[in-house]
Amino acid sequence: MAKRNDWSISALRLLSMCSIVACHICQLYGLGIAWVLNIGVQVFLVISGWLYGMRSDVDAVGCWYVKRLLRICLPYWLVLIPLLVVDVFFASQVVTVKTAILSIAGVRSGSVPNGAHLWYISVMLLCYLVTPILSALWRRLGLWPLVLFVFAFLLFGNRVVAQGIWCADYVIAFILGRLVRDGIQEKKALWVTSIIFGGGCIAFALAECLLGISAYKVLHLLGGPLIFSVFRLLIGCEAFAPSGRLRLLLAWDDSYSYEIYLVHQILILGDFSLAIHFSNMPAVVVLLTIIWSLVAGYVVHHLSMGLRSVIEMKLVREIEGEK
């Protein structure tokens, strides 16, 4: 089982969250580094894949799906539905019924006006959909069927959901976590991953410079596992022990990072950008964005937790009633 107090994972999650927020602020002001900072999303997927790879096999599949759906969808709907209502009246783009339905269902979550960053939800739902399958295949057949899943997502992921190609990073990290869980020395696995994916990044970066080909997607695909592996090696894996205040910050981010991701971009890019009102005051835009992200993320988190508790209690009562 993966330990809950693996602070190196928490530290990387915090850095990834900051990277994503900084990415969209840089994108607002036309800074090219935005397209480097957005690799935080791939790192998020790697973290998630690693953690599920380190856990025990998925047995009660139905309960597993319900818990993950509640965890992902309740905060998402609390952000999406008000955003859709506001978009209907104020967005520069028309919100169609098809777009609304597909967004609420999580099939095309990034298609709503002023919510392009929500594409991540469809990708995570797809990752969770295949996780019990990955777990069962690993238990019965081992490594190679999961490798086929990586190639399947690389070839067909974008046809299933928008940006579905990034699910490959989740599966790669799941494989890495399973290998470590089942006895491979973690540092050895991380070193091998760093060398392979680091070498791939260097090769494709050189190809982009010398041959003029676009290596953006490949570098992000390889960069997620590379950053994860290098960071854990540098910070000492589970041996990392932060100080009291840093530990509180990391624990806070563990609780709220998902909800902060959901809300942060709404006031940065699009029709509701703060830059519309504070065009010559980037510092004000950054400060208000941070305040909005923290406060709105906090509210969405606690509202969703309350709803989740009520739903879970109702489900438990129905199950007990059937017995």
Side-chain angles (χ1 to χ4, degrees):
M1 292 285 288
K3 295 182 180 179
R4 293 178 61 85
N5 60 339
D6 187 341
W7 295 109
S8 66
I9 292 290
S10 301
L12 186 55
R13 183 182 287 115
L14 175 61
L15 291 175
S16 299
M17 185 70 258
C18 293
S19 173
I20 293 167
V21 176
C23 157
H24 291 128
I25 292 173
C26 291
Q27 188 179 347
L28 171 65
Y29 292 106
L31 301 177
I33 195 173
W35 308 110
V36 177
L37 292 171
N38 64 355
I39 200 171
V41 178
Q42 283 73 39
V43 176
F44 263 142
L45 288 168
V46 170
I47 290 172
S48 185
W50 164 268
L51 291 175
Y52 282 111
M54 288 287 286
R55 293 178 182 176
S56 57
D57 295 328
V58 179
D59 292 320
V61 176
C63 291
W64 192 93
Y65 277 138
V66 169
K67 288 182 178 179
R68 270 66 197 177
L69 284 173
L70 291 175
R71 174 69 185 95
I72 291 294
C73 291
L74 285 179
Y76 169 59
W77 289 332
L78 286 172
V79 173
L80 175 68
I81 293 174
L83 181 60
L84 281 171
V85 173
V86 175
D87 277 343
V88 167
F89 294 100
F90 301 106
S92 57
Q93 297 176 276
V94 176
V95 180
T96 65
V97 174
K98 179 180 178 181
T99 296
I101 293 173
L102 290 178
S103 298
I104 293 171
V107 179
R108 289 287 184 270
S109 56
S111 60
V112 298
N114 305 297
H117 66 295
L118 298 176
W119 64 264
Y120 178 77
I121 309 307
S122 294
V123 172
M124 276 309 306
L125 289 174
L126 181 56
C127 289
Y128 286 164
L129 177 66
V130 302
T131 297
I133 300 172
L134 298 177
S135 178
L137 288 174
W138 180 274
R139 183 170 62 245
R140 297 174 184 176
L141 301 173
L143 170 66
W144 294 111
L146 275 66
V147 173
L148 294 178
F149 262 86
V150 173
F151 284 103
F153 279 126
L154 291 175
L155 294 172
F156 308 111
N158 287 346
R159 298 183 183 182
V160 180
V161 299
Q163 309 293 338
I165 189 176
W166 306 121
C167 294
D169 270 343
Y170 177 92
V171 180
I172 290 169
F174 184 94
I175 292 171
L176 186 60
R178 272 291 192 265
L179 289 170
V180 172
R181 189 203 69 170
D182 291 351
I184 299 294
Q185 185 182 15
E186 181 177 351
K187 288 188 176 180
K188 180 180 179 181
L190 294 175
W191 269 112
V192 171
T193 303
S194 300
I195 292 170
I196 293 173
F197 285 79
C201 284
I202 293 171
F204 279 97
L206 288 173
E208 183 171 40
C209 293
L210 299 176
L211 303 177
I213 62 172
S214 175
Y216 173 82
K217 286 190 175 181
V218 177
L219 289 174
H220 278 67
L221 279 165
L222 298 176
L226 173 63
I227 291 172
F228 176 87
S229 300
V230 171
F231 184 85
R232 278 185 71 80
L233 286 170
L234 290 175
I235 210 169
C237 300
E238 293 184 10
F240 174 62
S243 61
R245 290 183 179 179
L246 179 56
R247 184 173 298 190
L248 289 174
L249 174 62
L250 295 178
W252 187 91
D253 181 70
D254 283 343
S255 297
Y256 297 100
S257 60
Y258 173 57
E259 289 80 6
I260 290 173
Y261 176 86
L262 291 175
V263 303
H264 80 280
Q265 186 181 296
I266 295 171
L267 295 188
I268 301 177
L269 301 172
D271 296 314
F272 312 125
S273 173
L274 290 168
I276 297 173
H277 306 286
F278 303 99
S279 58
N280 297 320
M281 294 183 282
V284 174
V285 172
V286 172
L287 178 61
L288 291 178
T289 295
I290 293 172
I291 294 172
W292 155 261
S293 299
L294 296 178
V295 174
Y298 179 88
V299 172
V300 170
H301 174 81
H302 286 282
L303 284 175
S304 65
M305 288 295 290
L307 289 171
R308 185 177 170 186
S309 297
V310 171
I311 293 171
E312 288 180 347
M313 286 177 60
K314 186 175 180 180
L315 289 174
V316 169
R317 288 174 184 172
E318 289 182 356
I319 293 172
E320 291 178 349
E322 291 177 358
K323 291 180 179 180

